Amino acid sequence: MNLNKMQLRLLLYLYERNGFSNGVQVTTPALARFLNTSQQSASRVMIKMEREGFIERRMVGRSCYVRLTKKSINELSELYAELKRIIEKPVEVVLEGRVFSGMGEGAYYISLPWYRDQIRKKLGFDPYPGTLNVNLLSWDSIQNRTLVGKYADIWIEGFKDRNRTYGGARAILASFNNSDLCAILYIERTHYGENVIEVISPVYLRGKYGLSDGDKVKITVTLPAANFSAAGQIPHEDKGQILPKT
Amino acid sequence: MNLNKMQLRLLLYLYERNGFSNGVQVTTPALARFLNTSQQSASRVMIKMEREGFIERRMVGRSCYVRLTKKSINELSELYAELKRIIEKPVEVVLEGRVFSGMGEGAYYISLPWYRDQIRKKLGFDPYPGTLNVNLLSWDSIQNRTLVGKYADIWIEGFKDRNRTYGGARAILASFNNSDLCAILYIERTHYGENVIEVISPVYLRGKYGLSDGDKVKITVTLPAANFSAAGQIPHEDKGQILPKT
């Protein structure tokens, strides 16, 4: 990208008006308005762009017609290709932290058929009865917890029995220590703070990895690039259509 | 696009290094080199971008870690979407000119089975035995003749009999007066200049449109957008693989 803002805008202006195949009639006042600048600046940009071979100008009577050259097309294509490459690349989000012991509540909840069945159906695995608590330590990981939370859209419903209500959770699939399938739960009612994630897996992770409290673990989420390019922006927490209001 | 060149480059730099999910360690000298500017300018860009909410910076010891915010992602996505929209739109190229009479050679050549068969097979229609000569009048149309020529990659081979050789031509499908199928021929050996095109069609165009010499006609070619985005640049005249060297 060798163009500055105004030069890029000029090319986009012409491209949009079919300036690659037709001369676009350009007046300095109109262009100045479009570029949000003075007529002198607009005129200067055009002169510079013509001198550098990005545009061709031709006077027909008192009207100025401007065409884009191949050089412009190449410049725009290149920028587009660069953006495409990096924006359409899936985003790998890493959460790192240290294992700690909870009160054993996780095991109780995951064992409840109501939750277990939903996890089987919606996440595609039969969960080991227990959650692994991970205390996120780095700035990146804590930020990433929030980021990943925006994409955690698998909804595990809560329920009510005669004694109490059981809260729901949002979940997202992830990879544990780059090898095992797991899911991060965003539990509606949790007494943990923003620096903790709770992880479930078909595998007994503590056993498989011989984990003791304080040991470091890594959970990786791959966010689809499509979310960025398709919607034009990242999704919001309040996707009313997918998740019920809580 | 509200970013200037350096700001955009900074965002691309961070995005490429996974700066949306991880803090990227940035040093002013390295960034200055990347942005091809002074350390003062590099530093100023970062301060400005942080103040405007595009990036978040954090010092860890003496190291500076920089992350992209949602605002940056939205800005990049928006620019990407704008480029995508205009670059992936097919390009309509219009050639306008006035009909004139040639020497009747066209009718002779198109009638030759060698040419006629190839046109049937490669262009998909049985040509009316004759070419319509169009004298391009506008600057746009003459430029567009060259542009379209780069995409005319249907090769009609020449041949040799005992008396002489018959040249080849490149062809591209087009639309005549926005309604009839036709093809523009780029004939190897022609005595016409850069301002003339020769058009063939399954239809007797002169008859159908009641054309006399001097009447205006319009030929439209739709170039696929894919050529721009896929290759990153428009194709060159010398595509050795598709067309034989002449």
Side-chain angles (χ1 to χ4, degrees):
Chain A
M1 231 288 286
N2 299 311
L3 303 167
N4 69 28
K5 180 166 61 176
M6 250 190 239
Q7 292 171 332
L8 178 58
R9 285 228 66 81
L10 172 62
L11 297 193
L12 292 174
Y13 179 87
L14 294 170
Y15 201 111
E16 180 140 58
R17 283 156 185 77
N18 226 3
F20 182 43
S21 59
N22 302 321
V24 178
Q25 194 180 347
V26 174
T27 67
T28 314
L31 184 65
R33 269 196 305 279
F34 179 80
L35 297 177
N36 196 19
T37 189
S38 66
Q39 291 193 33
Q40 286 92 325
S41 295
S43 177
R44 229 179 294 127
V45 169
M46 279 222 283
I47 291 166
K48 186 164 190 292
M49 293 297 272
E50 186 178 33
R51 198 179 302 137
E52 294 178 359
F54 287 106
I55 61 173
E56 288 167 357
R57 290 196 296 170
R58 198 181 210 212
M59 295 305 294
V60 178
R62 293 189 154 208
S63 301
C64 175
Y65 288 85
V66 184
R67 274 177 77 109
L68 290 170
T69 63
K70 265 190 289 184
K71 184 174 176 180
S72 287
I73 308 302
N74 290 345
E75 194 74 23
L76 288 175
S77 304
E78 212 176 86
L79 175 61
Y80 177 59
E82 186 171 357
L83 280 166
K84 191 185 180 78
R85 183 172 58 80
I86 63 173
I87 286 184
E88 294 206 340
K89 184 180 71 175
V91 177
E92 275 232 329
V93 183
V94 176
L95 302 167
E96 275 180 310
R98 293 181 192 279
V99 171
F100 71 97
S101 292
M103 310 282 284
E105 291 180 318
Y108 167 67
Y109 287 115
I110 302 299
S111 306
L112 293 175
W114 175 264
Y115 288 126
R116 187 175 168 190
D117 289 350
Q118 283 190 76
I119 290 167
R120 274 185 186 149
K121 222 185 296 172
K122 296 178 181 173
L123 292 173
F125 63 79
D126 191 24
Y128 173 83
T131 58
L132 188 75
N133 303 314
V134 179
N135 196 354
L136 303 173
L137 294 172
S138 72
W139 179 54
D140 277 343
S141 292
I142 293 169
Q143 300 265 73
N144 282 344
R145 183 187 169 283
T146 307
L147 172 61
V148 169
K150 294 186 195 302
Y151 291 88
D153 59 0
I154 304 174
W155 177 243
I156 309 294
E157 276 176 64
F159 67 106
K160 221 182 231 186
D161 66 12
R162 69 180 62 169
N163 299 313
R164 53 167 286 202
T165 60
Y166 294 78
R170 292 179 297 123
I172 188 167
L173 290 170
S175 164
F176 188 84
N177 279 357
N178 286 329
S179 70
D180 280 284
L181 176 68
C182 70
I184 303 171
L185 298 181
Y186 288 79
I187 297 170
E188 272 193 314
R189 302 176 197 158
T190 178
H191 46 275
Y192 296 126
E194 296 280 287
N195 58 330
V196 167
I197 55 169
E198 295 186 62
V199 175
I200 57 172
S201 171
V203 175
Y204 175 44
L205 297 169
R206 268 193 188 260
K208 178 166 180 184
Y209 291 91
L211 298 171
S212 308
D213 282 6
D215 285 352
K216 268 198 178 171
V217 295
K218 179 170 151 182
I219 294 100
T220 311
V221 180
T222 304
L223 301 181
N227 281 298
F228 300 92
S229 52
Q233 53 185 0
I234 62 173
H236 297 293
E237 200 98 45
D238 54 334
K239 324 193 201 175
Q241 327 84 292
I242 301 178
L243 302 176
K245 289 274 193 300
T246 53
Chain B
M1 232 288 285
N2 299 310
L3 303 167
N4 69 29
K5 178 166 62 175
M6 251 191 235
Q7 291 171 331
L8 178 59
R9 284 227 67 80
L10 172 62
L11 297 192
L12 293 174
Y13 179 86
L14 295 170
Y15 202 112
E16 180 140 58
R17 284 156 185 77
N18 225 5
F20 182 42
S21 60
N22 301 320
V24 177
Q25 195 180 345
V26 174
T27 67
T28 315
L31 184 64
R33 270 196 304 280
F34 179 80
L35 297 177
N36 196 19
T37 188
S38 67
Q39 291 193 31
Q40 287 91 323
S41 294
S43 177
R44 227 179 293 126
V45 169
M46 281 223 280
I47 290 165
K48 186 163 189 294
M49 293 297 271
E50 186 178 33
R51 198 179 301 136
E52 293 177 1
F54 287 107
I55 60 173
E56 287 167 357
R57 290 197 296 169
R58 198 182 208 211
M59 294 305 294
V60 177
R62 293 191 151 207
S63 300
C64 175
Y65 288 85
V66 184
R67 273 178 77 109
L68 290 170
T69 63
K70 263 188 292 183
K71 184 175 175 178
S72 288
I73 310 301
N74 291 345
E75 193 74 24
L76 289 175
S77 303
E78 212 175 87
L79 175 61
Y80 177 58
E82 187 172 355
L83 280 166
K84 191 186 179 80
R85 183 173 58 80
I86 63 174
I87 287 185
E88 295 206 339
K89 186 179 72 176
V91 177
E92 275 232 328
V93 183
V94 177
L95 303 168
E96 275 181 311
R98 292 181 192 279
V99 171
F100 72 95
S101 292
M103 311 283 283
E105 292 180 317
Y108 167 67
Y109 288 116
I110 302 298
S111 307
L112 294 174
W114 175 264
Y115 288 126
R116 186 176 169 191
D117 289 349
Q118 283 189 80
I119 292 167
R120 274 185 185 148
K121 223 186 294 171
K122 296 178 181 173
L123 293 173
F125 62 80
D126 191 25
Y128 174 84
T131 58
L132 188 74
N133 303 314
V134 179
N135 197 353
L136 303 173
L137 294 172
S138 73
W139 180 52
D140 278 343
S141 292
I142 293 169
Q143 299 265 74
N144 283 345
R145 182 187 170 282
T146 307
L147 173 62
V148 169
K150 294 184 194 303
Y151 291 88
D153 58 2
I154 304 173
W155 177 243
I156 310 294
E157 277 175 67
F159 67 105
K160 219 181 231 186
D161 66 12
R162 69 180 61 168
N163 301 314
R164 55 166 285 203
T165 59
Y166 295 78
R170 292 180 298 122
I172 187 167
L173 290 170
S175 165
F176 188 84
N177 280 356
N178 286 328
S179 70
D180 279 284
L181 176 68
C182 69
I184 303 171
L185 298 181
Y186 289 79
I187 298 171
E188 274 191 313
R189 303 180 198 154
T190 177
H191 47 274
Y192 295 126
E194 297 281 288
N195 59 330
V196 167
I197 55 171
E198 295 185 62
V199 175
I200 56 172
S201 170
V203 175
Y204 175 45
L205 296 170
R206 269 192 186 262
K208 177 165 179 184
Y209 291 90
L211 298 171
S212 308
D213 281 4
D215 284 352
K216 266 199 181 172
V217 296
K218 178 169 152 183
I219 295 103
T220 311
V221 180
T222 303
L223 301 180
N227 281 300
F228 299 92
S229 52
Q233 53 184 2
I234 62 173
H236 298 293
E237 200 99 44
D238 55 332
K239 325 193 204 178
Q241 326 85 293
I242 301 177
L243 301 177
K245 290 273 194 300
T246 54

